[in-house]
Amino acid sequence: MEAPSSNRLHLRFVLVVAAVAGMFVGCVGTAGTPDNRSLSDRARGGGYSVVSESILDTANRYQAAVKVVARFKGKAGTLFHTCSGVVVHDRLVMTAGHCVCRRRKAPSPEGEERFVVDQSTCARRASVQTFFFKTLDEEEQERITNPAQWPTSGEVYVGEVRPNPQLMVVYTSETNNHELASNADLAFIFLDVSLKGKVDSARLPREQIKVNEPIRMVGFGATKPGEPPAGIRRVGANTVVSVEEGAGRIFRVTKPLLIQPAFVQGEPLFMREDGSYVLAGDSGGPSFREEEDGTFSLVGIAKTAYNLPVEYSEYTSTYAYRDWIVREIEGARKRGGTD
Amino acid sequence: MGGEKDIHNRYRGTVSVSARLPEEVTNCSGAVISRTLILTAGHCVCPRLKAAPPEEGAAVMIDASECAGRASVGTIVYKARGGDEDAVGFSTQVYGGVIRPHPELKVLLDGQGGVISSRADLAVIVLDRPLQEQEGRSIPLADEAVQPGELLVIVGHGYDEVANVYDRERRFSRNQVSRILEAQEGRVLIRQPEGHLYRGDSGGPCLRELRQGPVLVGISSRWLGQGGSFTSTHGYRKWLSAELERADRLALPQ
């Protein structure tokens, strides 16, 4: 999760270089974002260097957000998908369908190359990691050179993958995340045992998300574009700019682009208010609405993100799939009980 | 196969190490050699200096002159739960300490970041308070120097190419010594039988597996240049014993 360094209005420069449409920054496996930098550059950058500590969820306010890992056995060995997810019941974690199901080749009727994610390609099982930051006094906080070293604890659970029956995402390539179509990009993981100790489950919203609503986005992803997922829970904020007409299955978040009259070296210069976006490893993670009583409700599950030339992130609206979600939670209650 | 997660805590003598250098915050590993002393790579805690002496065509030099003063050291303990290999708990902790680079540290790199020469790429971190017993077991130093063809285990916290994550999990991989560069003061080249899949372990221990447990033969320097390499600790035993004695003295209650 990439997030603003402060809550103040802060303008960031976005230099639009070329129309690189729909560059992938969502959930990744080994065949994820192309990264041409040398490994040493990647390693030295670390992904943690300039991020302010305030955006780590050290108060564990968003403890319902968990890390999700799916493993796929393939010809080239084991492929991992590292994503985020959210606890909605003590045996049920929701994530994105494409986090726990892989792409398969499925040419279009016209014979064009297409890759599809649907129910037929899901991992049978996936693992879920709960994550708690330990409380530190100021002196202890001083000692931390690297926010990634903040003391934490957690548990890893495994469970059965239960994709939405309508899951269908169509891509043009095996690695690029430019989507041609997407429907019901959601899945549950039904845990073998109940979560140990108390993890506050996320609540469902009473109404659909609306344009201009502010949301909190939570994930275990990278802190900068092009970095691998950092595996530590971060919180960011952004605003809903559009909701799919009709069914309202998908909404988009971004900050408006302001066009500056100034030009730099012949290129037009764009400015944008700071906001958080979905990066590698944030897919499947929750976005929350703050309700009037100060509680949070789960409005979306991170689906994908696009950057240049138009930077925005897409979430699947949980409200649009509430019947299925409620049925799954009821089912977990019946099967669950106590372990 | 890449790095395997150390969920049975076999290699809990390995910690994460991070130092704030002028241009970066490093993500490295380190080896616990006593409850208050961590051994890591010099290049993990000392910056790359542009003003290299015009010798051997070097563009960048790392030496002991401008190292960071302090480093933070992270531990992770896994707790297996039931029969499932994946079902584990974890708990991490962080410590602080003072950096003491090897006085003869000198690494020369060419314009492309390739290693021209490397000497004493080592540093110790003297912890402010001792590690808890379960957090870090001291790794004994090996009695015998590393041999060509020898199989070693390298442990580290860092980037895993197979899982494509940059988290703090402790992972290990098996490696084979391919060449010992005697002239370069203990620099040893290694290869990973399955290819270079796990390279986020600079500063982490290179271990020889003995019946009584792992012993330390070197400190990884895989971030430097192309291909894997490490610094054999055998030639630096005198310095290490002096640092161990010093740390023990400091750790004594007043």
Side-chain angles (χ1 to χ4, degrees):
Chain A
M1 185 69 53
E2 183 189 15
S5 50
S6 76
N7 292 327
R8 282 174 295 123
L9 180 76
H10 176 75
L11 292 172
R12 191 160 54 118
F13 295 98
V14 179
L15 188 59
V16 176
V17 274
V20 186
M23 214 183 104
F24 155 54
V25 286
C27 174
V28 293
T30 37
T33 320
D35 190 343
N36 300 324
R37 289 168 308 142
S38 73
L39 189 82
S40 61
D41 279 351
R42 244 189 303 178
R44 283 188 290 115
Y48 314 112
S49 49
V50 291
V51 177
S52 91
E53 284 172 17
S54 63
I55 65 162
L56 295 180
D57 177 32
T58 54
N60 297 309
R61 234 181 144 188
Y62 305 94
Q63 57 184 263
V66 293
K67 198 164 112 181
V68 168
V69 181
R71 264 187 285 191
F72 300 95
K73 294 258 158 60
K75 271 174 278 172
T78 309
L79 179 79
F80 287 80
H81 279 188
T82 301
C83 278
S84 303
V86 59
V87 176
V88 295
H89 173 266
D90 68 2
R91 285 188 71 177
L92 209 52
V93 170
M94 187 156 44
T95 185
H98 75 269
C99 286
V100 289
C101 307
R102 46 190 312 196
R103 294 180 198 192
R104 65 180 168 88
K105 219 173 190 167
S108 73
E110 294 76 37
E112 286 167 287
E113 189 167 73
R114 294 283 180 263
F115 290 85
V116 165
V117 164
D118 63 16
Q119 288 201 84
S120 69
T121 55
C122 301
R124 209 170 55 81
R125 296 170 64 73
S127 72
V128 164
Q129 187 190 81
T130 59
F131 198 90
F132 295 92
F133 290 93
K134 292 177 185 170
T135 310
L136 299 188
D137 62 34
E138 262 177 49
E139 193 192 317
E140 287 170 317
Q141 290 183 30
E142 279 289 302
R143 223 172 19 231
I144 299 177
T145 306
N146 187 332
Q149 286 180 320
W150 189 292
T152 57
S153 66
E155 297 285 334
V156 180
Y157 299 85
V158 275
E160 170 205 340
V161 170
R162 296 173 61 83
N164 185 295
Q166 266 79 53
L167 167 65
M168 170 71 76
V169 190
V170 184
Y171 302 94
T172 51
S173 99
E174 196 165 11
T175 50
N176 188 309
N177 259 26
H178 183 63
E179 294 176 354
L180 288 173
S182 174
N183 187 37
D185 191 358
L186 296 171
F188 278 110
I189 301 160
F190 179 67
L191 305 178
D192 296 347
V193 296
S194 295
L195 292 171
K196 233 171 64 167
K198 186 154 168 54
V199 178
D200 293 332
S201 297
R203 295 178 9 197
L204 294 175
R206 262 177 248 119
E207 50 186 86
Q208 171 68 313
I209 194 80
K210 291 187 213 53
V211 171
N212 289 333
E213 269 197 68
I215 56 161
R216 306 283 169 85
M217 303 151 75
V218 189
F220 289 77
T223 57
K224 278 187 278 184
E227 298 282 351
I232 189 160
R233 189 168 58 237
R234 290 170 185 276
V235 187
N238 211 324
T239 308
V240 176
V241 287
S242 57
V243 180
E244 186 201 34
E245 279 180 42
R249 298 168 305 162
I250 292 163
F251 63 88
R252 288 177 177 169
V253 299
T254 190
K255 293 288 183 183
L257 198 63
L258 315 165
I259 299 170
Q260 277 289 101
F263 283 78
V264 174
Q265 292 177 345
E267 296 283 351
L269 194 63
F270 292 90
M271 298 170 83
R272 196 194 291 276
E273 289 171 31
D274 237 348
S276 298
Y277 296 91
V278 171
L279 294 178
D282 286 325
S283 266
S287 62
F288 295 104
R289 161 200 286 149
E290 188 166 1
E291 300 286 353
E292 278 171 16
D293 61 2
T295 61
F296 292 101
S297 62
L298 172 66
V299 290
I301 294 290
K303 172 180 161 291
T304 189
Y306 295 88
N307 43 32
L308 297 175
V310 186
E311 189 172 31
Y312 61 88
S313 300
E314 282 189 343
Y315 278 80
T316 303
S317 168
T318 55
Y319 191 79
Y321 294 94
R322 62 193 182 282
D323 293 346
W324 173 70
I325 294 167
V326 167
R327 267 201 314 278
E328 287 285 318
I329 293 174
E330 276 305 312
R333 276 196 191 122
K334 281 187 195 131
R335 289 170 70 182
T338 51
D339 58 277
Chain B
M1 201 184 84
E4 208 174 310
K5 252 203 238 180
D6 181 31
I7 58 167
H8 301 296
N9 299 310
R10 179 168 177 81
Y11 304 111
R12 65 178 187 235
T14 307
V15 292
S16 68
V17 167
S18 180
R20 193 169 286 141
L21 300 180
E23 286 179 19
E24 61 184 326
V25 175
T26 59
N27 281 286
C28 274
S29 302
V32 179
I33 54 172
S34 91
R35 295 274 295 280
T36 55
L37 202 64
I38 307 298
L39 179 61
T40 187
H43 71 268
C44 287
V45 292
C46 305
R48 292 164 186 238
L49 306 172
K50 290 270 144 43
E55 47 186 294
E56 300 169 65
V60 172
M61 178 178 74
I62 301 169
D63 68 11
S65 65
E66 290 179 39
C67 304
R70 292 181 60 81
S72 57
V73 167
T75 63
I76 185 165
V77 180
Y78 294 101
K79 291 173 196 121
R81 206 182 63 232
D84 199 314
E85 279 284 293
D86 285 321
V88 289
F90 67 93
S91 179
T92 71
Q93 197 46 267
V94 68
Y95 292 81
V98 174
I99 296 166
R100 290 174 56 84
H102 192 291
E104 280 153 44
L105 163 65
K106 192 171 179 191
V107 179
L108 296 177
L109 304 172
D110 64 24
Q112 281 72 51
V115 179
I116 296 169
S117 69
S118 166
R119 189 196 329 158
D121 187 6
L122 298 170
V124 290
I125 300 159
V126 185
L127 299 180
D128 303 336
R129 60 191 168 99
L131 294 171
Q132 299 276 319
E133 175 61 28
Q134 72 273 16
E135 288 175 336
R137 181 168 44 195
S138 308
I139 311 171
L141 306 180
D143 294 327
E144 285 165 45
V146 67
Q147 301 298 316
E150 195 177 355
L151 285 170
L152 299 173
V153 170
I154 302 187
V155 196
H157 294 254
Y159 179 60
D160 184 276
E161 285 179 46
V162 171
N164 186 44
V165 285
Y166 210 147
D167 54 22
R168 288 175 307 162
E169 304 276 11
R170 186 171 60 235
R171 296 185 175 87
F172 61 96
S173 60
R174 291 176 184 84
N175 301 264
Q176 190 168 21
V177 174
S178 57
R179 224 176 122 204
I180 297 171
L181 307 173
E182 297 283 0
Q184 292 185 12
E185 317 262 354
R187 183 158 174 255
V188 179
L189 301 185
I190 43 166
R191 62 194 145 85
Q192 219 169 312
E194 302 88 0
H196 286 285
L197 289 170
Y198 176 52
R199 297 190 273 189
D201 55 16
S202 244
C206 305
L207 303 168
R208 173 185 290 147
E209 287 284 4
L210 297 179
R211 203 167 301 143
Q212 63 267 33
V215 294
L216 186 74
V217 298
I219 290 293
S220 169
S221 52
R222 278 201 250 203
W223 280 4
L224 286 175
Q226 295 296 308
S229 67
F230 70 87
T231 303
S232 167
T233 43
H234 197 73
Y236 302 101
R237 279 167 300 164
K238 231 181 223 171
W239 172 72
L240 280 170
S241 333
E243 288 295 334
L244 279 164
E245 267 172 42
R246 183 180 175 277
D248 280 350
R249 236 179 12 249
L250 287 174
L252 282 178
Q254 298 296 310

